Amino acid sequence: MLPVAGSRVAVFASHRAVSLLTVASHIARAIEGEGREAAVYRRYVAPADVQRLASAAVIVMPADPIFAVPWMLLARDLSVSGMPAVYYATVEGELDRTHVARWMASIRFVANSEYTASKLREAGLPVCGVVHHGVDLEETERARRVAKHVIARLERLGIPASAGTGDGVVAVTVASSHPRKGLDRLARVAQLVSQREPRVRFLVITDSDGESALGNLPNVTALPVMGELQREEVLALIAAGHVYVQPSLAEGFCLPVLEAHALGVPAVHADLPPLREYSAGWRVPVRGVTLAKIDGGILYELHEYDAGEFAEVLLQVADLVRRGDSAVDDYRERAFKVAQEHDIRRVYPAFLDMLETPR
């Protein structure tokens, strides 16, 4: 028999989505910081059992009308039973409306960006609020402190990890092999960069398929350890770099860019709509948008950029870092303000109000 929990908030996410598991853990931590009990569940739990586990629920999942149907049904069934429940959604394009069922309109969706909110509304789904993803500033501070140990490990791998006149620059990326993450574009960017500045090295934290997509470029080191590292280790790897590079063509929010902001690492990324909502980083122009059916029930909105332009922006930022230019200090100041505004203890308590849980 599962225990009864009078005021516990159950936060659900799938083990298949590493970044969303992080978000779920942060939501639970922020709720606990408000003096309430919270627990994270990494698997589906039947509605009747959820009611014995908790008094309210937050489901952290993509708004995919094929892949995420069990989780959407869970949100609907909990609401029908009278339990406060919200579906905290992300989406990287248009929902395939042939799979959007009428019953989905009874779910209380919370979007992780205004961009996600617009895509949900276009599909006829209600949005009861927008809550940007948050960053745990206590975590990022700990990661800063251990970054020096990571730097030593990188140097043993032959990756220069100290910036200064005449020294190398490390560009870090955290991305899976999913086509929307743009690792094939990153490989092209790395090739172009190597032709002009071989001192710029790329460190990519990815999965085994991502390692294959990057090929055997001499200036790229791929670590196929996504999902295996502890949270602090991932953040420390970002902190150990000099530039953070996000090659994505489509995002619903993009948590690693926010984490780079908190760590004071200059970020370079395409000018994607959700990143415009918060990023202080360097943006690469988008030259066109195409829709692609890759998997599930989302028509991914791929924001096409030119690899040469991306390489040019990255080289400019690398030069600013190497020279210790004041533009980097200005970025760090603006970026940390963004991070403070997105501290999990500041953004995620909003879920308690949405769930009408006494505080």
Side-chain angles (χ1 to χ4, degrees):
M1 178 69 70
L2 293 169
V4 175
S7 61
R8 176 184 295 162
V9 178
V11 186
F12 292 92
S14 170
H15 67 279
R16 293 174 58 180
V18 176
S19 62
L20 295 186
L21 272 175
T22 296
V23 171
S25 297
H26 285 169
I27 291 171
R29 193 174 302 161
I31 288 173
E32 289 171 343
E34 294 292 304
R36 296 299 174 195
E37 190 177 354
V40 176
Y41 299 92
R42 303 184 176 202
R43 58 181 176 83
Y44 176 85
V45 178
D49 289 334
V50 176
Q51 290 176 306
R52 288 194 286 270
L53 285 166
S55 59
V58 178
I59 298 167
V60 186
M61 290 292 290
D64 187 321
I66 294 179
F67 161 73
V69 163
W71 301 96
M72 290 186 178
L73 283 169
L74 176 60
R76 183 203 65 175
D77 292 346
L78 291 175
S79 294
V80 168
S81 72
M83 174 183 278
V86 295
Y87 191 104
Y88 187 33
T90 185
V91 67
E92 301 87 3
E94 297 181 5
L95 277 66
D96 188 337
R97 297 192 194 186
T98 60
H99 298 288
V100 177
R102 208 174 275 179
W103 60 264
M104 293 176 183
S106 64
I107 298 169
R108 296 179 66 209
F109 287 95
V110 178
N112 68 340
S113 64
E114 295 291 347
Y115 172 82
T116 291
S118 70
K119 297 305 173 184
L120 293 171
R121 292 185 180 116
E122 286 173 10
L125 299 177
V127 179
C128 65
V130 175
V131 178
H132 276 181
H133 286 330
V135 61
D136 188 337
L137 296 183
E138 292 180 3
E139 273 187 347
T140 53
E141 182 55 36
R142 289 196 299 272
R144 284 173 182 269
R145 291 198 294 267
V146 301
K148 61 183 179 181
H149 303 297
V150 174
I151 288 172
R153 287 164 59 188
L154 294 181
E155 289 177 338
R156 286 197 293 272
L157 288 171
I159 302 172
S162 57
T165 304
D167 291 336
V169 170
V170 178
V172 178
T173 296
V174 180
S176 73
S177 58
H178 192 281
R180 70 180 174 84
K181 291 294 187 177
L183 289 186
D184 57 337
R185 308 299 176 93
L186 181 62
R188 179 58 180 153
V189 170
Q191 286 178 324
L192 293 171
V193 167
S194 70
Q195 293 167 10
R196 292 178 53 187
E197 182 49 89
R199 291 176 297 177
V200 176
R201 297 287 303 273
F202 293 78
L203 176 67
V204 185
I205 295 90
T206 185
D207 50 39
S208 56
D209 289 337
E211 183 181 29
S212 300
L214 290 164
N216 296 312
L217 298 171
N219 61 335
V220 177
T221 299
L223 300 180
V225 292
M226 180 165 279
E228 300 174 17
L229 297 178
Q230 295 296 316
R231 186 86 194 108
E232 191 175 273
E233 293 177 299
V234 175
L235 293 172
L237 283 167
I238 296 174
H242 307 116
V243 184
Y244 181 79
V245 173
Q246 191 67 43
S248 299
L249 303 167
E251 290 286 351
F253 181 82
C254 199
L255 185 57
V257 168
L258 178 60
E259 292 166 341
H261 280 48
L263 293 163
V265 180
V268 178
H269 55 79
D271 191 17
L272 305 183
L275 276 79
R276 290 180 208 147
E277 296 179 30
Y278 68 91
S279 177
W282 282 261
R283 303 175 187 179
V284 178
V286 170
R287 298 304 181 187
V289 180
T290 59
L291 293 179
K293 185 68 177 289
I294 299 172
D295 51 30
I298 297 174
L299 299 173
Y300 291 95
E301 204 170 68
L302 303 182
H303 297 76
E304 306 287 346
Y305 56 82
D306 181 77
E309 289 185 315
F310 201 117
E312 181 63 36
V313 174
L314 175 54
L315 285 166
Q316 290 173 6
V317 176
D319 185 58
L320 292 173
V321 170
R322 186 181 294 111
R323 292 189 289 105
D325 194 280
S326 61
V328 176
D329 294 328
D330 292 343
Y331 160 82
R332 290 185 174 125
E333 183 177 348
R334 288 181 286 111
F336 193 67
K337 286 181 180 177
V338 169
Q340 287 177 312
E341 292 168 358
H342 287 77
D343 190 320
I344 62 170
R345 295 157 189 84
R346 187 168 183 172
V347 296
Y348 289 147
F351 284 108
L352 290 175
D353 295 325
M354 293 176 182
L355 295 168
E356 298 179 345
T357 301
R359 296 172 64 179

